Amino acid sequence: MAEGPVRAGDSAGPEDPVVGTPYGAVRGRYENGLAVFRGIPYAAPPFGPRRFRPPVPPEPWTGVRDAGAFGPTPPKPPYSEAFAKLLADPVVPGDDCLNLNVWTPEPGPGARLPVMVWIHGGALTRGSSAIPVYDGRSFARDGVVFVSVNYRLGVEGFGLFPDAPANPGLRDQLAALEWVRDSITRFGGDPDRVTVFGESAGAISIGALLASPRARGLFRRAVLQSGAPEVTERDKVRRVVRRMAARLRVPATARAFAAVDRGALIEAQAEAGRRASPVVGGPAFGIVVDGELVPRDPLEALAEGGAAQDVALLIGWTSEEHRLWLAPTGLLERLNRLGPVALAAARARCRCGPEVPRGYRLARPGAGPADLVGQLVTDFLLRVPLHRLADAHRARSHVYEFAWPSNVPGLGACHALELGFVFDTVGVPEAERLAGPGAPQSLADEMHGAWVRFAVTGDPGWPAWDATHPVRVFGSGGPGLVRGPRDREMALWGHGAPAPTGAERDAASPGPDAAPRTVVRRLRRPGAMRRI
């Protein structure tokens, strides 16, 4: 196998870049001076006898495989109409969905450039590397080899069965990182300078990989955007699988599900999970403790300081994460109408005493019930564990908050809004769906530049986490450093005590003085959003 770029004389485009991989050569495209390779398989198609099984290497090929277009995307249901207006999620048909893409400014083994590997979000049920917002050209333009990854989603990637290993989708991510270790030198990258970054479900996945002994040494730095290390209680995942099995009238086993038509399986998955929401909970797919790849709750392992101490972290959130979950479906207005009852339901969801919502009301005197509920649940699920993670990795963690409000009415500084700024793609139509027209390019320059600096040097440009809790705020007034902007709310949770584990979060249920179960059921209407 040839090392580095080679030229294929029989190519219709002889100037296109060709690079050898351990499984065969691939031909990409030169785009604006950058070499781009799309749809490179890092594992075999996960169907037929390989369905619901750990990934295996792809079959080697002879000749040169074309890598000019995005490869197939994993099976997934479409977004509801309300969210499809805001979030792009293209579908590329085909079985060979365990693939990745590479943007590089300098293919060849001599460059040894820093590498950034992107793991997309989508509640572990949606998303792909083909979303235009995730175009890697800006990273490659700035001297980074950029890699984006597809992995199995929903029941295919995170279903739990008695006759199949758990977490196949997370195992896909691990296989992609192993491909990067073994292959990225040929694309100009340095396998010893890998930064893995992801948002929401992608960040949650990275949290699990940070604590996994099997992932040790595969990356040097990690970025967790709007997602904290967590695991889902196993019975919560089993409930989704059982609901699907009942709808399909088959046993809740991998063998039975593998025999079901792929389209029917996706329809059953969409129906079984349609009422799940970060605000009100409900059964959902998630990473589970499996005793091997995920030996224990990753938050516990990381908070104790026994894992990933040599990995530098960049972690953060948006100011109004909850507005993407609540505003598009009208749940924001329903929560405001429910008033104190909604706050009682949130208290039950978060298993906290009355002093916590009372403290939020005092801290935010102008906020309505929906925003109070949203911030309460966001802190419980996200900011408290991320503060805990930063405390455990003090001096190796940098923390940010994205505070620029969308130009789309009602969204504010919502979940996923920062993505176009991180990727410097605020001008693409798919980013404008969420940000609206006229997003400030200067803010994209600042945020994208910080991510590149972190990948190159480990320092994004502001002080590391310490006892004063420095947070870089990216907002409409320009980036600025704020000390302890969330400390008042964190103190209400007794921050400094252990953060709630994944099992404790999943076990949250209304107490005797909480909102009636009928209220929680009313909030779980069709259209309520899962974690993006």
Side-chain angles (χ1 to χ4, degrees):
M1 185 66 63
E3 293 287 334
V6 297
R7 297 296 179 185
D10 60 348
S11 169
E15 297 306 313
D16 289 336
V18 177
V19 172
T21 79
Y23 307 105
V26 291
R27 177 182 293 111
R29 301 290 186 272
Y30 279 113
E31 299 175 5
N32 299 314
L34 304 171
V36 184
F37 303 82
R38 297 180 174 91
I40 304 172
Y42 65 85
F47 300 105
R50 293 186 288 266
R51 204 167 183 191
F52 301 108
R53 300 291 163 181
V56 298
E59 288 292 327
W61 58 88
T62 58
V64 180
R65 180 181 181 125
D66 187 67
F70 286 112
T73 52
K76 56 188 173 179
Y79 281 119
S80 66
E81 182 180 354
F83 289 101
K85 294 177 181 178
L86 301 171
L87 303 169
D89 198 10
V91 172
V92 181
D95 286 354
D96 212 355
C97 60
L98 299 185
N99 57 70
L100 52 76
N101 319 294
V102 180
W103 277 255
T104 177
E106 192 175 342
R112 307 289 289 190
L113 297 170
V115 180
M116 296 187 74
V117 180
W118 172 248
I119 300 177
H120 69 80
L124 300 177
T125 59
R126 295 178 174 87
S128 78
S129 63
I131 295 173
V133 177
Y134 305 155
D135 190 289
R137 66 184 183 275
S138 295
F139 287 104
R141 175 200 68 198
D142 293 335
V144 172
V145 177
F146 173 86
V147 181
S148 56
V149 175
N150 282 342
Y151 56 95
R152 279 174 283 183
L153 303 169
V155 71
E156 302 273 3
F158 297 92
L160 193 57
F161 300 97
D163 56 339
N167 301 315
L170 190 67
R171 296 170 190 271
D172 295 343
Q173 297 170 17
L174 181 70
L177 288 169
E178 291 171 340
W179 184 97
V180 169
R181 177 197 61 198
D182 298 338
S183 307
I184 206 63
T185 301
R186 309 176 191 201
F187 292 84
D190 185 345
D192 295 323
R193 300 171 68 195
V194 173
T195 298
V196 61
F197 70 128
E199 186 264 351
S200 195
I204 292 169
S205 299
I206 291 170
L209 293 170
L210 276 167
S212 175
R214 288 191 55 191
R216 200 154 294 155
L218 291 177
F219 49 90
R220 184 175 176 181
R221 301 181 179 110
V223 184
L224 283 73
Q225 300 172 213
S226 299
E230 68 174 37
V231 287
T232 301
E233 200 275 322
R234 293 173 72 92
D235 191 58
K236 188 174 183 179
V237 180
R238 288 194 186 101
R239 289 203 304 271
V240 186
V241 173
R242 287 196 295 265
R243 286 184 181 183
M244 292 180 62
R247 183 176 178 84
L248 294 166
R249 298 182 179 179
V250 300
T253 65
R255 181 178 180 180
F257 273 48
V260 174
D261 172 78
R262 207 176 301 173
L265 202 64
I266 288 298
E267 289 179 7
Q269 175 183 306
E271 177 62 26
R274 68 191 178 97
R275 295 171 184 250
S277 162
V279 176
V280 297
F285 292 107
I287 296 165
V288 300
V289 172
D290 59 21
E292 179 204 354
L293 181 59
V294 187
R296 58 181 298 207
D297 186 312
L299 179 60
E300 292 181 352
L302 293 166
E304 290 174 6
Q309 283 297 307
D310 58 340
V311 177
L313 302 178
L314 174 58
I315 56 183
W317 48 78
T318 71
S319 296
E320 299 171 290
E321 301 270 1
H322 62 281
R323 284 192 160 258
L324 183 61
W325 307 328
L326 302 182
T329 59
L331 192 54
L332 198 73
E333 290 78 8
R334 290 202 296 275
L335 287 170
N336 279 329
R337 288 196 298 270
L338 287 168
V341 178
L343 284 169
R347 179 185 160 194
R349 171 83 171 96
C350 300
R351 301 184 71 191
C352 61
E355 71 281 357
V356 177
R358 186 183 306 125
Y360 275 69
R361 284 195 299 267
L362 292 173
R364 304 169 183 275
D371 280 323
L372 290 174
V373 166
Q375 293 288 4
L376 193 74
V377 174
T378 298
D379 286 356
F380 174 71
L381 294 173
L382 183 61
R383 295 191 186 106
V384 170
L386 285 180
H387 271 75
R388 185 72 175 160
L389 178 61
D391 279 348
H393 290 252
R394 190 170 293 187
R396 292 192 64 79
S397 297
H398 292 80
V399 179
Y400 75 91
E401 178 167 326
F402 181 81
W404 181 79
S406 170
N407 288 323
V408 176
L411 289 183
C414 69
H415 191 68
L417 181 59
E418 88 284 5
L419 290 170
F421 295 84
V422 168
F423 279 82
D424 191 14
T425 53
V426 290
V428 305
E430 291 79 5
E432 289 187 353
R433 291 189 195 181
L434 203 58
Q441 180 60 46
S442 59
L443 186 57
D445 294 341
E446 291 284 351
M447 202 165 191
H448 173 76
W451 264 238
V452 171
R453 283 193 300 273
F454 180 73
V456 174
T457 69
D459 181 0
W462 64 89
W465 192 255
D466 59 22
T468 67
H469 296 173
V471 177
R472 181 67 174 270
V473 178
F474 292 90
S476 54
L481 189 71
V482 182
R483 303 277 177 175
R486 299 280 174 176
D487 284 4
R488 185 174 181 181
E489 290 91 340
M490 295 301 101
L492 295 170
W493 299 94
H495 183 53
T501 66
E504 288 170 340
R505 287 191 293 270
D506 289 331
S509 58
D513 58 345
R517 291 181 184 272
T518 53
V519 172
V520 178
R521 284 197 296 269
R522 284 168 61 191
L523 297 179
R524 288 183 186 161
R525 290 185 175 181
M529 187 59 173
R530 302 176 186 86
R531 190 157 41 242
I532 299 302

